[in-house]
Amino acid sequence: MPGLRERKKAQTRKRLADTAFTLFRERGFENVTVAEIADAAEVAVSTLFAYFPCKEALVFDAEDEYERALTAAVRDRGPGVSMLDALEAHLVPAAAPATPDGPSGQDFVELVKSTPELLEYAGRARRHWEASLAATLAREAGVPEDDLVARTLARFVLDANFLATYGDYSPEDLKAVFERLRNGWADFGTR
C-alpha cells in the first residue's frame, strides 16, 4: 500500500485532471488556461506543471496506465491465447467499462474528437504506445526488438483502434479488422 505522501500526490494529480476535464467540457479546451485550472484545483501553476508537462496531458492523465495495460494484455495473456486475440480482447471490450469516479469514456472521446490539439496529442501518445507494444510483441514472439512484423502489427492495431475510437466506426468495425488480421486479405475486394 502506498504511503501517505504517495496517496496525497495521487489525489492532487487526480484533482487537477478532474478539474481540468470539467472546465474543458464546460467552456472548451481552448477557452481554459492552466492558471484557471490551477486556481480551481487550489494549487499553484508550478504545482500543476510538476504533475503535467502540458495542458493536453491533463486530459490524458491515464496514458501511462493505458500503456501498461496494453502491454500487459499481451504479456499476461493466458495459455493458448494468441497475441492478436489478447489485443482484440483488450481493445474491443464486450461493454464500456463503468467510470464511477471520473468522466465517462464517451465524454472523454467527445472532448478529444472536438479538439484538434487533443487529437494531435492522442496521435503522439499512440506512437509512443506503438513502440512499447511492438517491443512487447517482439519479446513475446522471441524475435529482435526491431522486427518489422512486430512493429507493423503494433502500428496496424493501434491505428485501427484510434480510427474506431475517434472516427465514425463501431466496435463491430474494429472486430472486422481483427478478423481480417487473423484470416488474411486475399478475398478483400474480390467480386
Side-chain angles (χ1 to χ4, degrees), residues 73-181:
V74 171
R75 194 179 52 255
D76 301 339
R77 69 193 187 283
V81 176
S82 73
M83 290 186 273
L84 190 59
D85 288 344
L87 284 169
E88 180 178 14
H90 179 72
L91 294 172
V92 189
T99 54
D101 194 23
S104 74
Q106 188 59 37
D107 288 342
F108 174 84
V109 168
E110 289 304 318
L111 178 63
V112 173
K113 282 173 70 169
S114 67
T115 310
E117 298 92 340
L118 294 176
L119 269 174
E120 183 180 321
Y121 187 91
R124 289 193 309 270
R126 182 179 80 237
R127 286 188 290 282
H128 177 76
W129 300 330
E130 179 187 311
S132 292
L133 179 58
T136 300
L137 291 167
R139 275 192 301 279
E140 290 294 310
V143 298
E145 196 166 300
D146 65 347
D147 181 76
L148 181 60
V149 174
R151 292 177 72 184
T152 301
L153 179 58
R155 177 170 291 177
F156 195 88
V157 165
L158 290 178
D159 279 353
N161 186 60
F162 185 88
L163 290 169
T165 301
Y166 300 113
D168 292 326
Y169 300 99
S170 71
E172 292 304 315
D173 294 325
L174 186 56
K175 285 181 183 182
V177 169
F178 276 98
E179 194 61 30
R180 282 286 171 189
L181 281 172

Side-chain angles (χ1 to χ4, degrees), residues 32-47:
V32 178
T33 67
V34 291
E36 290 171 318
I37 296 164
D39 186 54
E42 299 179 343
V43 301
V45 172
S46 60
T47 300

